[in-house]
Amino acid sequence: MIEVERLTKLYGRAVAVDRLDFQVGRGEIVGLLGTNGAGKTTTMRMLTTFLTPTSGRARISGHDVLDEPLQVRRNVGYLPESVPLPGEMRVVEYLRYRSRLKDVPRSERRRAVGDAIERCGLVDVGRKLIGQLSKGYRQRVGLADALLHDPDLLILDEPTAGLDPIQILEVRSLIRGLGERHTILLSTHIMPEVEAVCGRVLIISRGRLVVDESLERFRAESAIEVEVRGPARSVAAALGAMPGIRRVETLEETDDVARFAIIADTGTDLREAIAERVVRNGWGLRSLDLRRSSLEERFVRAVADADLPVDSSPDSEAA
């Protein structure tokens, strides 16, 4: 559905997106995460043909964003973070107008508009002026607009930004329902939103892809926290050399006691083996605890591990 190969966007010497590579299969709901200025919005604008890549390739449903932009737009429904809606038009009037712009066949426009209104929960406000609607309903109008031509792919940029808690829950439920018929790429910085809606997550930092994993894997990953009386460097080296351990992070260190977070392979509980290794080396085992990793913790760790400092970039105001 989405194929991205070394996709890059430069603004002068500033790198907004740096050689991105990823794929999204049909029927997936994928969360695109990143700090402000990471390049999320720039990536989405290139996928929707609103921005031209500096280099690299991207294909939507087999159509190249550079060579076949009209075909790409026919296969994509895009909801930007700030939906530009005319307040003086009624909901039905606006959607009929948009259906003409999107080349929906005249014989299908009434059905397309009615279907979008029903799917987005706009039946009760169809005759109201858009300017009289709450922000939550305006987001729904934006989604209905994105659905009019029944695209294969929906690209949603911060769809719940600025909504109240009830509106957020309603829009999330709507997105889950849309995922039954559409592939969805969802950009957000709200971790609970990704956990509630998505099946997979992409994390980018300063335009680079640093994580591409399923939410199931995130939920399965755990960290073992251990506090040991002994030489910190020797303890870390001994634990890091154990089979099944990805890395050892030193959380706290004093003269003779250190606390570590041990990241093991998914689904592996090494607490007994760790205790045995510590005791066998003659060190004092002070505590040992298994802690499940949250998406938020994984996000922070991924950005830190990438060693890419966060600062402003040309798309930071919208990313």
Side-chain angles (χ1 to χ4, degrees):
M1 176 58 66
I2 304 177
E3 301 171 85
V4 173
E5 301 173 3
R6 300 184 67 80
L7 193 65
T8 300
K9 181 63 178 179
L10 305 178
Y11 293 94
R13 294 184 178 181
V15 181
V17 174
D18 190 4
R19 295 166 294 176
L20 280 187
D21 284 286
F22 66 86
Q23 295 184 350
V24 176
R26 187 173 296 277
E28 284 192 274
I29 303 180
V30 177
L32 181 63
L33 299 179
T35 55
N36 288 335
K40 304 186 302 297
T41 294
T42 297
T43 298
M44 289 185 155
R45 288 175 178 168
M46 286 191 288
L47 293 179
T48 53
T49 75
F50 286 93
L51 280 178
T52 301
T54 303
S55 62
R57 309 294 293 185
R59 299 177 184 84
I60 307 295
S61 296
H63 301 290
D64 191 282
V65 297
L66 285 173
D67 299 335
E68 304 169 278
L70 291 180
Q71 289 297 326
V72 169
R73 293 191 181 195
R74 291 189 179 104
N75 284 277
V76 174
Y78 179 43
L79 177 69
E81 181 178 356
S82 299
V83 186
L85 298 172
E88 70 280 3
M89 295 183 74
R90 301 186 187 277
V91 172
V92 171
E93 179 186 10
Y94 171 71
L95 292 176
R96 287 174 180 167
Y97 165 71
R98 291 291 294 166
S99 70
R100 293 196 297 272
L101 292 183
K102 294 188 174 192
D103 289 331
V104 177
R106 186 170 184 174
S107 60
E108 298 179 15
R109 287 175 192 163
R110 182 181 295 273
R111 179 204 56 78
V113 170
D115 183 52
I117 285 175
E118 183 175 353
R119 293 177 69 192
C120 294
L122 294 168
V123 174
D124 293 337
V125 298
R127 297 292 175 181
K128 286 190 175 183
L129 294 174
I130 293 174
Q132 296 176 345
L133 301 180
S134 68
K135 184 166 184 178
Y137 271 109
R138 291 199 298 274
Q139 288 291 90
R140 289 172 178 265
V141 173
L143 276 171
D145 180 5
L147 291 170
L148 283 171
H149 55 305
D150 196 25
D152 294 332
L153 172 67
L154 292 175
I155 294 182
L156 313 178
D157 193 358
E158 301 285 357
T160 61
L163 303 186
D164 65 41
I166 300 300
Q167 293 170 336
I168 287 173
L169 292 176
E170 290 174 347
V171 172
R172 287 179 186 172
S173 177
L174 175 57
I175 291 171
R176 282 194 295 268
L178 294 175
E180 297 176 2
R181 279 175 54 178
H182 306 271
T183 301
I184 298 177
L185 181 63
L186 167 69
S187 169
T188 182
H189 63 275
I190 304 173
M191 304 302 161
E193 189 158 288
V194 176
E195 294 180 304
V197 173
C198 302
R200 180 171 150 226
V201 62
L202 305 172
I203 299 177
I204 60 177
S205 178
R206 287 291 300 273
R208 294 183 182 178
L209 184 67
V210 295
V211 170
D212 180 354
E213 290 185 10
S214 69
L215 263 293
E216 183 179 350
R217 183 179 179 88
F218 273 115
R219 295 185 182 107
E221 185 177 273
S222 60
I224 300 169
E225 287 195 4
V226 58
E227 188 174 70
V228 178
R229 184 180 297 279
R233 289 187 179 181
S234 298
V235 174
L239 297 178
M242 293 177 59
I245 290 182
R246 293 191 201 172
R247 66 181 180 276
V248 176
E249 301 173 359
T250 302
L251 302 178
E252 188 177 357
E253 182 180 351
T254 61
D255 290 339
D256 60 346
V257 176
R259 187 163 57 91
F260 307 93
I262 300 171
I263 312 301
D265 291 336
T266 301
T268 303
D269 187 350
L270 296 174
R271 284 177 290 179
E272 292 182 11
I274 290 169
E276 181 183 355
R277 177 66 61 93
V278 170
V279 172
R280 191 170 65 208
N281 280 278
W283 301 318
L285 180 61
R286 293 169 57 92
S287 66
L288 186 66
D289 186 37
L290 179 67
R291 179 171 55 84
R292 297 294 178 186
S293 178
S294 70
L295 178 59
E296 183 174 1
E297 291 170 332
R298 184 68 175 88
F299 172 82
V300 172
R301 192 164 65 241
V303 173
D305 287 350
D307 195 26
L308 297 170
V310 176
D311 61 10
S312 60
S313 73
D315 72 328
S316 60
E317 73 283 354

